[in-house]
Amino acid sequence: IYGKSGESNCEYCKSEEVMKKFFSLLLLTFFASLYCQSNFDKIDARYDAKLKEIKDRLPNPRNEERVLLFKNLLNERIKEYKEELKKIQISETKIDIDINDPIDEVPEFEKGISGFRQLFAENFNTDLISDSEGTVRSKVKFIVDENGKVSNVTAEGTDEDLNFLSIITIYRIRDLGVWKPARKNDKSTE
């Protein structure tokens, strides 16, 4: 069955090896997809399941117990978001950029700014914003490093909740697209 080099000449053995490699790759892909899911997505999945349980048990949206349970779950979710955000921000290297330092090319998202805005909008959870009157705005700033990775996200604006959720959304989507870093003197730069 084996040749001089020790390799199998058996067609069944070769197909078995191919299947083993295929299943190994499939398993690796599965675990990689689980790992890539952001912790914010995991938090959302857990709380969305809890909300569904409450909706199923208390279908009337005006039920006082349901409203109270929803409010408590919202506060717990935001608390977990804050804990996760703190972990991310502690792990990041703080980068101080002089915004007056001229660059040749600004960072560019692979699908353009409109593609980035669409990705942001699709992943922004409006359910978590408190009832604000009038127009609210948030200006989000972040660094795109020389490798195209987003970090050091900050937001400022008229509504604290909007600012916080804007930061969360940027961290949630930062691995869902590729940024071309800024360029200065024909080199990638932050």
Side-chain angles (χ1 to χ4, degrees), residues 2-189:
Y2 291 95
K4 293 179 183 177
S5 65
E7 291 183 18
S8 172
N9 289 331
C10 170
E11 288 301 316
Y12 174 76
C13 298
K14 286 181 181 179
S15 66
E16 189 175 305
E17 288 176 33
V18 169
M19 289 304 288
K20 284 181 184 177
K21 288 179 182 178
F22 172 75
F23 283 118
S24 295
L25 181 61
L26 186 64
L27 193 61
L28 180 64
T29 304
F30 172 73
F31 284 113
S33 69
L34 285 179
Y35 178 75
C36 290
Q37 183 184 25
S38 81
N39 286 341
F40 295 116
D41 291 336
K42 292 174 186 173
I43 292 168
D44 285 343
R46 194 169 50 254
Y47 282 97
D48 288 345
K50 290 179 182 181
L51 288 172
K52 185 180 179 325
E53 287 175 16
I54 294 170
K55 286 178 183 178
D56 291 346
R57 190 169 55 87
L58 303 167
N60 181 355
R62 293 191 181 112
N63 180 294
E64 289 181 29
E65 181 183 3
R66 176 179 160 154
V67 170
L68 182 61
L69 289 170
F70 271 34
K71 185 176 179 179
N72 290 339
L73 277 178
L74 175 64
N75 290 333
E76 288 176 27
R77 181 187 292 206
I78 289 173
K79 181 181 175 188
E80 282 197 47
Y81 276 169
K82 288 180 180 180
E83 290 168 3
E84 183 59 29
L85 181 59
K86 188 175 181 179
K87 288 178 196 174
I88 291 170
Q89 291 174 330
I90 287 171
S91 71
E92 289 182 333
T93 303
K94 298 299 176 218
I95 302 171
D96 191 24
I97 301 274
D98 180 4
I99 60 170
N100 296 318
D101 190 17
I103 55 176
D104 300 328
E105 293 177 37
V106 297
E108 185 178 325
F109 189 64
E110 66 182 341
K111 297 176 185 168
I113 192 65
S114 62
F116 179 72
R117 286 180 177 149
Q118 180 179 351
L119 183 63
F120 182 91
E122 290 169 354
N123 287 277
F124 187 85
N125 189 346
T126 57
D127 296 339
L128 303 177
I129 296 181
S130 63
D131 296 330
S132 298
E133 290 186 26
T135 302
V136 291
R137 290 192 169 92
S138 183
K139 184 176 185 178
V140 180
K141 298 178 187 178
F142 53 87
I143 303 293
V144 176
D145 71 13
E146 64 273 359
N147 298 313
K149 183 151 173 74
V150 171
S151 66
N152 293 258
V153 182
T154 60
E156 54 188 47
T158 58
D159 185 272
E160 191 175 314
D161 292 338
L162 178 63
N163 295 336
F164 173 70
L165 292 171
S166 295
I167 292 170
I168 298 295
T169 303
I170 295 295
Y171 280 114
R172 181 190 307 270
I173 67 173
R174 71 178 174 173
D175 295 326
L176 299 180
V178 178
W179 282 89
K180 178 181 158 190
R183 297 195 55 83
K184 182 175 182 176
N185 300 329
D186 278 340
K187 293 182 182 175
S188 295
T189 185

